[in-house]
mmCIF file of all heavy atoms in Angstrom:
data_model
loop_
_atom_site.group_PDB
_atom_site.id
_atom_site.type_symbol
_atom_site.label_atom_id
_atom_site.label_comp_id
_atom_site.label_asym_id
_atom_site.label_seq_id
_atom_site.Cartn_x
_atom_site.Cartn_y
_atom_site.Cartn_z
ATOM 1 N N TRP A 187 63.438 76.804 115.498
ATOM 2 C CA TRP A 187 63.700 75.956 114.345
ATOM 3 C C TRP A 187 62.468 75.975 113.449
ATOM 4 O O TRP A 187 61.351 75.894 113.920
ATOM 5 C CB TRP A 187 63.987 74.510 114.822
ATOM 6 C CG TRP A 187 64.161 73.563 113.687
ATOM 7 C CD1 TRP A 187 65.215 73.506 112.834
ATOM 8 C CD2 TRP A 187 63.240 72.543 113.271
ATOM 9 N NE1 TRP A 187 65.011 72.521 111.899
ATOM 10 C CE2 TRP A 187 63.816 71.913 112.146
ATOM 11 C CE3 TRP A 187 62.000 72.107 113.737
ATOM 12 C CZ2 TRP A 187 63.187 70.867 111.475
ATOM 13 C CZ3 TRP A 187 61.376 71.070 113.064
ATOM 14 C CH2 TRP A 187 61.973 70.460 111.960
ATOM 15 N N ASN A 322 71.845 71.518 96.755
ATOM 16 C CA ASN A 322 72.168 70.827 98.012
ATOM 17 C C ASN A 322 71.406 69.499 98.051
ATOM 18 O O ASN A 322 70.235 69.425 97.679
ATOM 19 C CB ASN A 322 71.785 71.727 99.203
ATOM 20 C CG ASN A 322 72.090 71.068 100.526
ATOM 21 O OD1 ASN A 322 71.468 70.077 100.903
ATOM 22 N ND2 ASN A 322 73.051 71.607 101.249
ATOM 23 N N TRP A 324 70.343 67.665 100.613
ATOM 24 C CA TRP A 324 69.618 67.251 101.822
ATOM 25 C C TRP A 324 68.139 66.948 101.586
ATOM 26 O O TRP A 324 67.688 65.821 101.719
ATOM 27 C CB TRP A 324 69.823 68.297 102.923
ATOM 28 C CG TRP A 324 69.103 67.956 104.205
ATOM 29 C CD1 TRP A 324 68.140 68.679 104.811
ATOM 30 C CD2 TRP A 324 69.298 66.787 105.024
ATOM 31 N NE1 TRP A 324 67.726 68.064 105.973
ATOM 32 C CE2 TRP A 324 68.420 66.893 106.121
ATOM 33 C CE3 TRP A 324 70.129 65.673 104.945
ATOM 34 C CZ2 TRP A 324 68.327 65.927 107.120
ATOM 35 C CZ3 TRP A 324 70.043 64.702 105.945
ATOM 36 C CH2 TRP A 324 69.164 64.834 107.008
ATOM 37 N N GLU A 325 67.365 67.968 101.213
ATOM 38 C CA GLU A 325 65.912 67.732 101.191
ATOM 39 C C GLU A 325 65.467 66.806 100.061
ATOM 40 O O GLU A 325 64.391 66.215 100.140
ATOM 41 C CB GLU A 325 65.169 69.076 101.133
ATOM 42 C CG GLU A 325 65.227 69.795 102.462
ATOM 43 C CD GLU A 325 64.244 70.950 102.564
ATOM 44 O OE1 GLU A 325 63.168 70.904 101.947
ATOM 45 O OE2 GLU A 325 64.587 71.914 103.263
ATOM 46 N N PHE A 328 67.351 63.343 102.041
ATOM 47 C CA PHE A 328 67.592 63.111 103.458
ATOM 48 C C PHE A 328 68.681 62.034 103.580
ATOM 49 O O PHE A 328 69.727 62.190 102.971
ATOM 50 C CB PHE A 328 66.297 62.801 104.207
ATOM 51 C CG PHE A 328 65.373 64.011 104.231
ATOM 52 C CD1 PHE A 328 64.159 63.998 103.545
ATOM 53 C CD2 PHE A 328 65.742 65.161 104.894
ATOM 54 C CE1 PHE A 328 63.327 65.133 103.537
ATOM 55 C CE2 PHE A 328 64.918 66.295 104.887
ATOM 56 C CZ PHE A 328 63.718 66.265 104.213
ATOM 57 N N PHE A 329 68.412 60.916 104.298
ATOM 58 C CA PHE A 329 69.505 59.925 104.443
ATOM 59 C C PHE A 329 69.404 58.807 103.395
ATOM 60 O O PHE A 329 70.105 57.798 103.502
ATOM 61 C CB PHE A 329 69.489 59.322 105.856
ATOM 62 C CG PHE A 329 70.049 60.255 106.904
ATOM 63 C CD1 PHE A 329 69.231 60.803 107.883
ATOM 64 C CD2 PHE A 329 71.395 60.588 106.900
ATOM 65 C CE1 PHE A 329 69.750 61.653 108.851
ATOM 66 C CE2 PHE A 329 71.920 61.445 107.860
ATOM 67 C CZ PHE A 329 71.100 61.978 108.834
ATOM 68 N N ASP A 354 75.288 66.858 101.476
ATOM 69 C CA ASP A 354 74.908 67.167 102.863
ATOM 70 C C ASP A 354 75.133 65.959 103.765
ATOM 71 O O ASP A 354 75.847 65.016 103.411
ATOM 72 C CB ASP A 354 73.447 67.667 102.880
ATOM 73 C CG ASP A 354 73.160 68.648 103.994
ATOM 74 O OD1 ASP A 354 73.029 68.212 105.150
ATOM 75 O OD2 ASP A 354 73.086 69.868 103.720
ATOM 76 N N ASP A 355 74.505 65.955 104.899
ATOM 77 C CA ASP A 355 74.646 64.941 105.941
ATOM 78 C C ASP A 355 74.489 63.523 105.361
ATOM 79 O O ASP A 355 73.702 63.290 104.466
ATOM 80 C CB ASP A 355 73.548 65.196 106.987
ATOM 81 C CG ASP A 355 73.813 64.466 108.279
ATOM 82 O OD1 ASP A 355 74.786 63.701 108.348
ATOM 83 O OD2 ASP A 355 73.040 64.686 109.240
ATOM 84 N N GLY A 356 75.248 62.575 105.957
ATOM 85 C CA GLY A 356 75.071 61.161 105.611
ATOM 86 C C GLY A 356 76.231 60.559 104.842
ATOM 87 O O GLY A 356 76.259 59.357 104.606
ATOM 88 N N ARG A 365 77.083 56.509 108.861
ATOM 89 C CA ARG A 365 76.033 57.505 109.091
ATOM 90 C C ARG A 365 74.772 57.123 108.293
ATOM 91 O O ARG A 365 74.492 57.670 107.222
ATOM 92 C CB ARG A 365 76.552 58.880 108.659
ATOM 93 C CG ARG A 365 75.592 60.025 108.885
ATOM 94 C CD ARG A 365 75.459 60.412 110.337
ATOM 95 N NE ARG A 365 74.853 61.739 110.473
ATOM 96 C CZ ARG A 365 74.562 62.295 111.630
ATOM 97 N NH1 ARG A 365 74.788 61.647 112.768
ATOM 98 N NH2 ARG A 365 74.020 63.495 111.675
ATOM 99 N N ASP A 368 70.615 59.986 111.986
ATOM 100 C CA ASP A 368 71.302 60.999 112.802
ATOM 101 C C ASP A 368 71.683 60.493 114.188
ATOM 102 O O ASP A 368 72.107 61.273 115.045
ATOM 103 C CB ASP A 368 70.485 62.296 112.869
ATOM 104 C CG ASP A 368 69.153 62.129 113.570
ATOM 105 O OD1 ASP A 368 68.992 61.166 114.341
ATOM 106 O OD2 ASP A 368 68.248 62.963 113.335
ATOM 107 N N TRP A 403 79.105 68.741 103.769
ATOM 108 C CA TRP A 403 78.532 69.108 105.072
ATOM 109 C C TRP A 403 79.391 68.545 106.199
ATOM 110 O O TRP A 403 79.842 67.405 106.128
ATOM 111 C CB TRP A 403 77.139 68.497 105.144
ATOM 112 C CG TRP A 403 76.336 68.706 106.400
ATOM 113 C CD1 TRP A 403 75.400 69.667 106.598
ATOM 114 C CD2 TRP A 403 76.329 67.887 107.581
ATOM 115 N NE1 TRP A 403 74.822 69.514 107.844
ATOM 116 C CE2 TRP A 403 75.378 68.426 108.475
ATOM 117 C CE3 TRP A 403 77.044 66.752 107.995
ATOM 118 C CZ2 TRP A 403 75.104 67.883 109.729
ATOM 119 C CZ3 TRP A 403 76.791 66.219 109.252
ATOM 120 C CH2 TRP A 403 75.832 66.789 110.118
ATOM 121 N N GLU A 405 79.723 68.719 110.764
ATOM 122 C CA GLU A 405 79.188 69.230 112.039
ATOM 123 C C GLU A 405 80.243 68.943 113.100
ATOM 124 O O GLU A 405 80.093 68.042 113.925
ATOM 125 C CB GLU A 405 77.856 68.541 112.371
ATOM 126 C CG GLU A 405 77.130 69.215 113.509
ATOM 127 C CD GLU A 405 75.805 68.536 113.850
ATOM 128 O OE1 GLU A 405 75.459 67.518 113.230
ATOM 129 O OE2 GLU A 405 75.123 69.049 114.761
ATOM 130 N N ARG A 435 68.698 65.787 118.789
ATOM 131 C CA ARG A 435 69.109 65.080 117.573
ATOM 132 C C ARG A 435 70.264 64.119 117.843
ATOM 133 O O ARG A 435 71.163 63.970 117.038
ATOM 134 C CB ARG A 435 69.524 66.090 116.519
ATOM 135 C CG ARG A 435 68.729 65.918 115.249
ATOM 136 C CD ARG A 435 69.178 66.878 114.189
ATOM 137 N NE ARG A 435 68.778 66.348 112.905
ATOM 138 C CZ ARG A 435 69.600 66.277 111.871
ATOM 139 N NH1 ARG A 435 70.829 66.683 111.946
ATOM 140 N NH2 ARG A 435 69.157 65.799 110.729
ATOM 141 N N LYS A 469 79.693 73.346 104.399
ATOM 142 C CA LYS A 469 78.506 73.736 105.169
ATOM 143 C C LYS A 469 78.748 73.264 106.599
ATOM 144 O O LYS A 469 78.848 72.064 106.839
ATOM 145 C CB LYS A 469 77.257 73.063 104.584
ATOM 146 C CG LYS A 469 75.994 73.244 105.421
ATOM 147 C CD LYS A 469 74.770 72.694 104.711
ATOM 148 C CE LYS A 469 73.514 72.780 105.560
ATOM 149 N NZ LYS A 469 72.334 72.276 104.874
ATOM 150 N N ASP A 471 77.569 72.801 110.266
ATOM 151 C CA ASP A 471 76.312 72.745 111.014
ATOM 152 C C ASP A 471 76.559 72.648 112.516
ATOM 153 O O ASP A 471 77.680 72.409 112.975
ATOM 154 C CB ASP A 471 75.517 71.510 110.533
ATOM 155 C CG ASP A 471 74.033 71.757 110.500
ATOM 156 O OD1 ASP A 471 73.547 72.600 111.278
ATOM 157 O OD2 ASP A 471 73.337 71.091 109.710
ATOM 158 N N CYS A 472 75.502 72.809 113.269
ATOM 159 C CA CYS A 472 75.576 72.761 114.735
ATOM 160 C C CYS A 472 74.144 72.504 115.190
ATOM 161 O O CYS A 472 73.329 73.414 115.227
ATOM 162 C CB CYS A 472 76.111 74.100 115.214
ATOM 163 S SG CYS A 472 75.697 74.556 116.884
ATOM 164 N N ASN A 473 73.855 71.235 115.464
ATOM 165 C CA ASN A 473 72.440 70.851 115.634
ATOM 166 C C ASN A 473 71.986 70.633 117.069
ATOM 167 O O ASN A 473 70.952 69.996 117.293
ATOM 168 C CB ASN A 473 72.154 69.603 114.797
ATOM 169 C CG ASN A 473 71.908 69.956 113.350
ATOM 170 O OD1 ASN A 473 71.149 70.856 113.049
ATOM 171 N ND2 ASN A 473 72.581 69.265 112.432
ATOM 172 N N GLN A 517 79.720 78.025 104.772
ATOM 173 C CA GLN A 517 78.341 78.368 105.137
ATOM 174 C C GLN A 517 78.108 78.005 106.596
ATOM 175 O O GLN A 517 78.434 76.900 107.018
ATOM 176 C CB GLN A 517 77.317 77.604 104.289
ATOM 177 C CG GLN A 517 75.886 78.024 104.637
ATOM 178 C CD GLN A 517 74.807 77.125 104.048
ATOM 179 O OE1 GLN A 517 74.700 75.946 104.402
ATOM 180 N NE2 GLN A 517 74.003 77.670 103.155
ATOM 181 N N CYS A 519 75.504 77.106 109.555
ATOM 182 C CA CYS A 519 74.150 76.551 109.672
ATOM 183 C C CYS A 519 74.013 76.052 111.102
ATOM 184 O O CYS A 519 74.979 75.583 111.702
ATOM 185 C CB CYS A 519 74.032 75.392 108.687
ATOM 186 S SG CYS A 519 72.473 74.514 108.775
ATOM 187 N N SER A 520 72.838 76.161 111.671
ATOM 188 C CA SER A 520 72.614 75.600 112.991
ATOM 189 C C SER A 520 71.150 75.211 113.050
ATOM 190 O O SER A 520 70.301 76.035 113.392
ATOM 191 C CB SER A 520 72.973 76.620 114.065
ATOM 192 O OG SER A 520 72.659 76.120 115.334
ATOM 193 N N SER A 521 70.861 73.971 112.626
ATOM 194 C CA SER A 521 69.465 73.541 112.470
ATOM 195 C C SER A 521 68.712 74.631 111.714
ATOM 196 O O SER A 521 67.681 75.115 112.159
ATOM 197 C CB SER A 521 68.800 73.299 113.821
ATOM 198 O OG SER A 521 69.547 72.403 114.580
ATOM 199 N N GLY A 522 69.252 75.045 110.606
ATOM 200 C CA GLY A 522 68.702 76.194 109.878
ATOM 201 C C GLY A 522 69.380 77.451 110.359
ATOM 202 O O GLY A 522 70.597 77.516 110.482
ATOM 203 N N GLY A 523 68.562 78.451 110.727
ATOM 204 C CA GLY A 523 69.123 79.765 111.061
ATOM 205 C C GLY A 523 69.407 79.980 112.528
ATOM 206 O O GLY A 523 69.121 81.044 113.065
ATOM 207 N N TRP A 538 72.677 79.493 106.275
ATOM 208 C CA TRP A 538 71.435 78.822 105.869
ATOM 209 C C TRP A 538 70.336 79.440 106.726
ATOM 210 O O TRP A 538 70.329 79.300 107.942
ATOM 211 C CB TRP A 538 71.567 77.317 106.065
ATOM 212 C CG TRP A 538 70.380 76.487 105.673
ATOM 213 C CD1 TRP A 538 69.838 75.458 106.380
ATOM 214 C CD2 TRP A 538 69.625 76.568 104.449
ATOM 215 N NE1 TRP A 538 68.792 74.907 105.687
ATOM 216 C CE2 TRP A 538 68.626 75.571 104.499
ATOM 217 C CE3 TRP A 538 69.671 77.384 103.324
ATOM 218 C CZ2 TRP A 538 67.686 75.365 103.478
ATOM 219 C CZ3 TRP A 538 68.744 77.197 102.306
ATOM 220 C CH2 TRP A 538 67.777 76.198 102.385
ATOM 221 N N SER A 540 67.097 79.047 107.141
ATOM 222 C CA SER A 540 66.101 78.259 107.865
ATOM 223 C C SER A 540 65.970 76.891 107.221
ATOM 224 O O SER A 540 66.110 76.767 106.002
ATOM 225 C CB SER A 540 64.739 78.956 107.816
ATOM 226 O OG SER A 540 63.767 78.159 108.449
ATOM 227 N N ASP A 541 65.655 75.870 108.029
ATOM 228 C CA ASP A 541 65.316 74.576 107.452
ATOM 229 C C ASP A 541 63.924 74.614 106.830
ATOM 230 O O ASP A 541 63.501 73.670 106.180
ATOM 231 C CB ASP A 541 65.346 73.483 108.536
ATOM 232 C CG ASP A 541 66.759 72.968 108.755
ATOM 233 O OD1 ASP A 541 67.654 73.350 107.985
ATOM 234 O OD2 ASP A 541 66.957 72.175 109.709
ATOM 235 N N GLU A 597 67.164 72.620 96.297
ATOM 236 C CA GLU A 597 67.282 71.619 97.358
ATOM 237 C C GLU A 597 66.309 70.465 97.076
ATOM 238 O O GLU A 597 65.758 69.876 97.968
ATOM 239 C CB GLU A 597 67.010 72.307 98.710
ATOM 240 C CG GLU A 597 67.211 71.466 99.924
ATOM 241 C CD GLU A 597 68.326 71.903 100.853
ATOM 242 O OE1 GLU A 597 68.982 72.925 100.587
ATOM 243 O OE2 GLU A 597 68.545 71.187 101.843
HETATM 244 C C1 LIG B 801 70.421 70.597 109.873
HETATM 245 C C2 LIG B 801 70.537 71.584 108.708
HETATM 246 C C3 LIG B 801 69.966 70.975 107.458
HETATM 247 C C4 LIG B 801 70.676 69.689 107.140
HETATM 248 C C5 LIG B 801 70.577 68.753 108.323
HETATM 249 C C6 LIG B 801 71.405 67.506 108.103
HETATM 250 O O1 LIG B 801 69.098 70.433 110.239
HETATM 251 O O2 LIG B 801 69.894 72.771 109.025
HETATM 252 O O3 LIG B 801 70.083 71.868 106.367
HETATM 253 O O4 LIG B 801 72.005 69.952 106.831
HETATM 254 O O5 LIG B 801 71.024 69.366 109.522
HETATM 255 O O6 LIG B 801 71.338 66.654 109.176
#
Side-chain angles (χ1 to χ4, degrees):
W187 175 71
N322 180 293
W324 180 241
E325 287 194 30
F328 293 113
F329 284 113
D354 210 284
D355 195 355
R365 182 73 163 177
D368 64 21
W403 179 96
E405 191 180 2
R435 237 182 158 228
K469 172 174 176 179
D471 216 333
C472 156
N473 279 312
Q517 183 191 65
C519 176
S520 176
S521 306
W538 181 224
S540 176
D541 276 353
E597 186 115 1

